[in-house]
Short mmCIF file of all heavy atoms in Angstrom, two decimals:
data_model
loop_
_atom_site.label_atom_id
_atom_site.label_comp_id
_atom_site.label_asym_id
_atom_site.label_seq_id
_atom_site.Cartn_x
_atom_site.Cartn_y
_atom_site.Cartn_z
N HIS P 1 -7.68 -6.22 -6.19
CA HIS P 1 -6.61 -6.55 -5.24
C HIS P 1 -5.67 -5.34 -5.20
O HIS P 1 -5.16 -4.94 -6.24
CB HIS P 1 -5.79 -7.76 -5.70
CG HIS P 1 -6.56 -9.04 -5.74
ND1 HIS P 1 -7.02 -9.69 -4.61
CD2 HIS P 1 -6.96 -9.81 -6.79
CE1 HIS P 1 -7.64 -10.78 -4.96
NE2 HIS P 1 -7.63 -10.88 -6.28
N ALA P 2 -5.45 -4.78 -4.01
CA ALA P 2 -4.59 -3.60 -3.87
C ALA P 2 -3.44 -3.88 -2.91
O ALA P 2 -3.55 -4.73 -2.01
CB ALA P 2 -5.40 -2.41 -3.35
N ILE P 3 -2.37 -3.12 -3.10
CA ILE P 3 -1.22 -3.11 -2.18
C ILE P 3 -0.92 -1.65 -1.86
O ILE P 3 -0.80 -0.82 -2.77
CB ILE P 3 0.03 -3.77 -2.80
CG1 ILE P 3 -0.25 -5.22 -3.18
CG2 ILE P 3 1.22 -3.68 -1.84
CD1 ILE P 3 0.87 -5.87 -3.96
N TYR P 4 -0.78 -1.34 -0.57
CA TYR P 4 -0.48 0.02 -0.14
C TYR P 4 1.04 0.22 -0.09
O TYR P 4 1.75 -0.56 0.53
CB TYR P 4 -1.11 0.31 1.23
CG TYR P 4 -2.61 0.40 1.11
CD1 TYR P 4 -3.41 -0.71 1.30
CD2 TYR P 4 -3.21 1.59 0.73
CE1 TYR P 4 -4.78 -0.64 1.14
CE2 TYR P 4 -4.58 1.67 0.56
CZ TYR P 4 -5.36 0.56 0.77
OH TYR P 4 -6.72 0.64 0.58
N HIS P 5 1.51 1.27 -0.75
CA HIS P 5 2.95 1.53 -0.85
C HIS P 5 3.43 2.69 0.01
O HIS P 5 4.56 2.66 0.49
CB HIS P 5 3.32 1.81 -2.31
CG HIS P 5 2.97 0.68 -3.21
ND1 HIS P 5 3.69 -0.49 -3.27
CD2 HIS P 5 1.95 0.53 -4.08
CE1 HIS P 5 3.13 -1.32 -4.14
NE2 HIS P 5 2.08 -0.73 -4.65
N ASP P 6 2.60 3.71 0.17
CA ASP P 6 3.02 4.91 0.91
C ASP P 6 1.79 5.47 1.60
O ASP P 6 0.76 5.71 0.95
CB ASP P 6 3.60 5.94 -0.07
CG ASP P 6 4.08 7.20 0.64
OD1 ASP P 6 4.98 7.08 1.51
OD2 ASP P 6 3.57 8.29 0.32
N ILE P 7 1.87 5.66 2.91
CA ILE P 7 0.77 6.22 3.67
C ILE P 7 1.34 7.29 4.59
O ILE P 7 2.22 7.02 5.41
CB ILE P 7 0.05 5.14 4.51
CG1 ILE P 7 -0.56 4.07 3.60
CG2 ILE P 7 -1.01 5.78 5.40
CD1 ILE P 7 -1.13 2.87 4.34
N VAL P 8 0.85 8.52 4.42
CA VAL P 8 1.20 9.62 5.31
C VAL P 8 -0.12 10.05 5.94
O VAL P 8 -1.00 10.59 5.25
CB VAL P 8 1.86 10.79 4.55
CG1 VAL P 8 2.18 11.92 5.52
CG2 VAL P 8 3.11 10.32 3.82
N GLU P 9 -0.27 9.80 7.23
CA GLU P 9 -1.53 10.03 7.92
C GLU P 9 -2.09 11.42 7.63
O GLU P 9 -1.38 12.43 7.75
CB GLU P 9 -1.36 9.83 9.42
CG GLU P 9 -2.68 9.87 10.17
CD GLU P 9 -2.54 9.48 11.64
OE1 GLU P 9 -1.42 9.16 12.07
OE2 GLU P 9 -3.56 9.51 12.32
N ASN P 10 -3.35 11.44 7.24
CA ASN P 10 -4.12 12.67 6.96
C ASN P 10 -3.61 13.47 5.77
O ASN P 10 -4.09 14.58 5.54
CB ASN P 10 -4.19 13.57 8.20
CG ASN P 10 -4.79 12.86 9.39
OD1 ASN P 10 -5.64 11.98 9.24
ND2 ASN P 10 -4.35 13.22 10.57
N GLU P 11 -2.65 12.91 4.99
CA GLU P 11 -2.09 13.65 3.86
C GLU P 11 -2.08 12.89 2.54
O GLU P 11 -2.40 13.46 1.50
CB GLU P 11 -0.64 14.07 4.17
CG GLU P 11 -0.50 15.10 5.26
CD GLU P 11 0.95 15.48 5.49
OE1 GLU P 11 1.78 15.33 4.57
OE2 GLU P 11 1.26 15.92 6.61
N ARG P 12 -1.66 11.62 2.58
CA ARG P 12 -1.44 10.94 1.29
C ARG P 12 -1.57 9.43 1.45
O ARG P 12 -1.16 8.85 2.44
CB ARG P 12 -0.04 11.27 0.78
CG ARG P 12 0.30 10.66 -0.56
CD ARG P 12 1.67 11.07 -1.08
NE ARG P 12 2.75 10.63 -0.21
CZ ARG P 12 3.65 11.44 0.35
NH1 ARG P 12 3.61 12.74 0.12
NH2 ARG P 12 4.60 10.97 1.12
N ILE P 13 -2.13 8.80 0.38
CA ILE P 13 -2.23 7.35 0.29
C ILE P 13 -1.82 6.99 -1.14
O ILE P 13 -2.38 7.53 -2.10
CB ILE P 13 -3.67 6.85 0.55
CG1 ILE P 13 -4.18 7.34 1.90
CG2 ILE P 13 -3.73 5.32 0.43
CD1 ILE P 13 -5.68 7.20 2.09
N VAL P 14 -0.83 6.10 -1.28
CA VAL P 14 -0.40 5.63 -2.60
C VAL P 14 -0.54 4.11 -2.61
O VAL P 14 -0.01 3.43 -1.72
CB VAL P 14 1.05 6.03 -2.92
CG1 VAL P 14 1.46 5.51 -4.29
CG2 VAL P 14 1.23 7.55 -2.85
N TYR P 15 -1.25 3.60 -3.60
CA TYR P 15 -1.46 2.16 -3.70
C TYR P 15 -1.53 1.75 -5.17
O TYR P 15 -1.82 2.55 -6.05
CB TYR P 15 -2.75 1.74 -2.98
CG TYR P 15 -4.00 2.43 -3.49
CD1 TYR P 15 -4.85 1.80 -4.41
CD2 TYR P 15 -4.34 3.71 -3.05
CE1 TYR P 15 -5.99 2.43 -4.88
CE2 TYR P 15 -5.48 4.35 -3.52
CZ TYR P 15 -6.30 3.71 -4.42
OH TYR P 15 -7.42 4.34 -4.89
N SER P 16 -1.21 0.49 -5.41
CA SER P 16 -1.40 -0.07 -6.74
C SER P 16 -2.50 -1.11 -6.62
O SER P 16 -2.71 -1.70 -5.55
CB SER P 16 -0.10 -0.69 -7.27
OG SER P 16 0.35 -1.71 -6.42
N TYR P 17 -3.21 -1.33 -7.72
CA TYR P 17 -4.25 -2.34 -7.69
C TYR P 17 -4.50 -2.93 -9.07
O TYR P 17 -4.25 -2.29 -10.09
CB TYR P 17 -5.55 -1.79 -7.09
CG TYR P 17 -6.32 -0.81 -7.94
CD1 TYR P 17 -7.44 -1.24 -8.67
CD2 TYR P 17 -5.97 0.53 -8.00
CE1 TYR P 17 -8.17 -0.34 -9.43
CE2 TYR P 17 -6.70 1.42 -8.76
CZ TYR P 17 -7.80 0.98 -9.48
OH TYR P 17 -8.53 1.86 -10.23
N GLU P 18 -4.96 -4.17 -9.06
CA GLU P 18 -5.38 -4.81 -10.30
C GLU P 18 -6.87 -5.05 -10.23
O GLU P 18 -7.43 -5.29 -9.15
CB GLU P 18 -4.63 -6.13 -10.53
CG GLU P 18 -4.92 -7.22 -9.53
CD GLU P 18 -4.25 -8.54 -9.88
OE1 GLU P 18 -3.66 -8.69 -10.96
OE2 GLU P 18 -4.34 -9.45 -9.03
N MET P 19 -7.52 -4.93 -11.38
CA MET P 19 -8.95 -5.21 -11.51
C MET P 19 -9.10 -6.43 -12.40
O MET P 19 -8.49 -6.51 -13.47
CB MET P 19 -9.69 -4.02 -12.14
CG MET P 19 -9.79 -2.81 -11.27
SD MET P 19 -10.78 -3.04 -9.77
CE MET P 19 -12.37 -3.49 -10.44
N LEU P 20 -9.92 -7.37 -11.93
CA LEU P 20 -10.22 -8.57 -12.70
C LEU P 20 -11.72 -8.63 -12.96
O LEU P 20 -12.51 -8.23 -12.08
CB LEU P 20 -9.79 -9.83 -11.95
CG LEU P 20 -8.28 -9.97 -11.73
CD1 LEU P 20 -7.86 -9.37 -10.41
CD2 LEU P 20 -7.87 -11.40 -11.81
N LEU P 21 -12.10 -9.10 -14.11
CA LEU P 21 -13.50 -9.29 -14.46
C LEU P 21 -13.67 -10.77 -14.77
O LEU P 21 -13.02 -11.30 -15.68
CB LEU P 21 -13.87 -8.44 -15.68
CG LEU P 21 -15.33 -8.42 -16.08
CD1 LEU P 21 -16.20 -7.87 -14.94
CD2 LEU P 21 -15.52 -7.58 -17.33
N ASP P 22 -14.48 -11.44 -13.95
CA ASP P 22 -14.65 -12.89 -14.05
C ASP P 22 -13.30 -13.61 -14.06
O ASP P 22 -13.07 -14.55 -14.83
CB ASP P 22 -15.47 -13.26 -15.30
CG ASP P 22 -16.92 -12.82 -15.18
OD1 ASP P 22 -17.43 -12.75 -14.04
OD2 ASP P 22 -17.55 -12.57 -16.22
N GLY P 23 -12.37 -13.14 -13.24
CA GLY P 23 -11.07 -13.77 -13.09
C GLY P 23 -10.02 -13.36 -14.11
O GLY P 23 -8.87 -13.77 -14.02
N ARG P 24 -10.39 -12.53 -15.08
CA ARG P 24 -9.44 -12.10 -16.13
C ARG P 24 -8.96 -10.68 -15.81
O ARG P 24 -9.76 -9.77 -15.63
CB ARG P 24 -10.15 -12.11 -17.48
CG ARG P 24 -9.24 -11.72 -18.62
CD ARG P 24 -9.96 -11.93 -19.97
NE ARG P 24 -9.34 -11.05 -20.93
CZ ARG P 24 -9.98 -10.16 -21.65
NH1 ARG P 24 -11.28 -10.02 -21.56
NH2 ARG P 24 -9.33 -9.40 -22.50
N ARG P 25 -7.63 -10.50 -15.75
CA ARG P 25 -7.06 -9.19 -15.43
C ARG P 25 -7.42 -8.20 -16.53
O ARG P 25 -7.15 -8.41 -17.70
CB ARG P 25 -5.55 -9.26 -15.26
CG ARG P 25 -4.95 -7.90 -14.84
CD ARG P 25 -3.45 -7.94 -14.61
NE ARG P 25 -3.10 -8.86 -13.55
CZ ARG P 25 -2.44 -10.01 -13.75
NH1 ARG P 25 -2.07 -10.38 -14.94
NH2 ARG P 25 -2.16 -10.79 -12.72
N MET P 26 -8.03 -7.07 -16.12
CA MET P 26 -8.42 -6.03 -17.06
C MET P 26 -7.50 -4.82 -17.00
O MET P 26 -7.33 -4.11 -17.98
CB MET P 26 -9.86 -5.56 -16.78
CG MET P 26 -10.88 -6.70 -16.83
SD MET P 26 -10.98 -7.50 -18.44
CE MET P 26 -11.81 -6.25 -19.37
N SER P 27 -6.91 -4.58 -15.81
CA SER P 27 -6.05 -3.41 -15.66
C SER P 27 -5.19 -3.53 -14.41
O SER P 27 -5.50 -4.30 -13.50
CB SER P 27 -6.89 -2.13 -15.58
OG SER P 27 -7.64 -2.13 -14.38
#
């Protein structure tokens, strides 16, 4: 699951995301 925080077209993308394994948050 990701959320985009900063987007500068053709230059930069900043996003945060969580990774889950079988429903358990890993990172």
Side-chain angles (χ1 to χ4, degrees):
H1 295 291
I3 300 172
Y4 290 92
H5 301 285
D6 181 60
I7 298 173
V8 179
E9 188 172 359
N10 303 329
E11 292 181 24
R12 181 177 63 238
I13 304 165
V14 179
Y15 58 98
S16 59
Y17 72 100
E18 66 175 352
M19 290 295 300
L20 295 92
L21 186 61
D22 291 332
R24 182 172 156 236
R25 183 178 299 111
M26 303 299 287
S27 67

